[in-house]
Amino acid sequence: MEPIRVLLAKVGLDGHDRGVKVVARTLRDAGMDVIYSGLHRTPAEVVTAAVQEDVDVLGVSLLSGVQLTVFPKIFALLEEHGARDMIVIAGGVMPDEDVVELKKMGVAEVLLQDTTPDKIVATLKRLVTERGAR
């Protein structure tokens, strides 16, 4: 079985990337192929990279409170690229009511800052297994 491919991204003006770097290392240590897109990316840059890299999972880390405006853009761009089957997860810091809204939009999972590394790995493996081959 090929390793799970993941693109991790920081969208917008949020300049804090320590947490996403820890997640990237955790996923790599679990045998996944991980691409980290760096800070201050636009939704278009992130979706283009995810499609070009043919990732299984697009993980977007946010601490800046823009999740309810960023994710609709991401889903619209995935639709335009014919990649709506890509698993999208959110991570970072956000209020509980936003978690509910994100899941309604199509975010597969929201992993907040207190999610353990083991749970992050298990969640990605479960989501990819549930989706099956693309």
Side-chain angles (χ1 to χ4, degrees):
M1 184 170 146
E2 289 187 29
I4 294 170
R5 291 181 55 77
V6 182
L7 183 124
L8 296 177
K10 297 289 293 184
V11 176
L13 300 177
D14 177 7
H16 300 88
D17 66 350
R18 192 155 122 193
V20 75
K21 287 179 176 177
V22 170
V23 171
R25 171 61 54 146
T26 298
L27 297 177
R28 283 186 189 115
D29 289 350
M32 297 183 198
D33 285 341
V34 181
I35 301 143
Y36 171 49
S37 69
L39 290 169
H40 310 299
R41 298 295 173 226
T42 66
E45 288 172 328
V46 167
V47 169
T48 298
V51 169
Q52 286 176 348
E53 294 290 345
D54 193 29
V55 299
D56 298 296
V57 179
L58 170 56
V60 179
S61 171
L62 295 164
L63 302 174
S64 58
V66 297
Q67 54 272 4
L68 296 182
T69 56
V70 164
F71 280 98
K73 292 175 185 173
I74 287 172
F75 285 120
L77 289 161
L78 286 170
E79 187 75 38
E80 285 177 25
H81 283 85
R84 198 53 189 88
D85 62 336
M86 189 176 293
I87 298 165
V88 177
I89 60 170
V93 178
M94 53 200 76
D96 292 342
E97 58 269 18
D98 286 5
V99 171
V100 172
E101 286 303 311
L102 291 172
K103 288 193 170 189
K104 285 181 188 174
M105 283 179 207
V107 173
E109 271 308 330
V110 180
L111 304 171
L112 300 175
Q113 76 271 14
D114 56 353
T115 306
T116 64
D118 288 346
K119 180 163 184 183
I120 294 169
V121 170
T123 299
L124 267 63
K125 287 181 177 179
R126 175 182 56 80
L127 290 170
V128 171
T129 298
E130 286 173 355
R131 186 208 54 209
R134 290 199 287 146

